[in-house]
Amino acid sequence: MSMWQEMLGNQVLMSAVAGWTVAQVLKTLLDFCLNKNFNAERLVGSGGMPSSHSATVCGLTTAAGLCYGVGSSAFAVSFILAMVVMYDAMGVRRETGKQAKLLNSILLENPLKLNGEILQEKLKEYVGHTPLQVMAGAILGIGLSFAIDHFCY
């Protein structure tokens, strides 16, 4: 069996990848609908609705539970990883985004010189998630994992 066939046959991996991919596409579509313009960065960027981080780790965890049982080490490791990732998305990363937004507004009014150069690069503001975005991503990842289990494996 080739490496690609093995990877495509790995339900846990495919569930995680599907969670990330679908969340990123949905995030891009929602951004397009709200802002009336296409932003390609949304296809790979962090932040926004739904959380692709949550969709990925919840797809991974659900698939690990379906394949190996909720008493397995694979499920335990995946579950802890999911909790850390989702907590971080709503905590540290969300606060980082708030700080970036504030700094961007300050720098817009008062450009900062660093080593004689004016800083013009805008800081990324979409790096974290609201609890609703994290929950939507989690539900998406879990649902996709069950669908993949039912229809593909």
Side-chain angles (χ1 to χ4, degrees):
M1 188 186 288
S2 76
M3 177 184 74
W4 289 109
Q5 287 174 318
E6 283 188 58
M7 286 175 61
L8 291 172
N10 185 328
Q11 182 178 348
V12 176
L13 176 62
M14 288 299 104
S15 293
V17 170
W20 181 84
T21 303
V22 171
Q24 288 300 125
V25 169
L26 286 174
K27 185 184 304 189
T28 304
L29 291 173
L30 284 172
D31 184 70
F32 178 77
C33 290
L34 293 173
N35 297 316
K36 305 293 186 243
N37 69 342
F38 177 72
N39 180 358
E41 190 273 335
R42 294 283 69 213
L43 283 169
V44 293
S46 58
M49 171 68 105
S51 166
S52 57
H53 288 87
S54 296
T56 303
V57 294
C58 286
L60 178 80
T61 302
T62 304
L66 291 169
C67 290
Y68 307 113
V70 294
S72 69
S73 296
F75 177 80
V77 170
S78 300
F79 182 82
I80 296 301
L81 174 68
M83 294 300 105
V84 170
V85 167
M86 292 188 295
Y87 178 81
D88 182 63
M90 291 185 294
V92 175
R93 288 182 41 243
R94 185 170 179 210
E95 290 303 315
T96 300
K98 288 179 183 178
Q99 292 171 4
K101 194 173 209 169
L102 176 63
L103 287 171
N104 284 337
S105 68
I106 291 170
L107 290 174
L108 185 64
E109 295 174 15
N110 304 305
L112 178 68
K113 283 189 176 183
L114 186 65
N115 296 331
E117 291 184 39
I118 295 177
L119 292 179
Q120 294 178 334
E121 187 175 327
K122 192 175 179 184
L123 299 170
K124 287 180 74 173
E125 296 176 8
Y126 295 108
V127 292
H129 295 284
T130 65
L132 179 62
Q133 292 169 338
V134 169
M135 183 177 292
I139 292 167
L140 176 64
I142 292 167
L144 284 170
S145 190
F146 275 110
I148 288 170
D149 180 60
H150 181 73
F151 293 111
C152 300
Y153 294 94

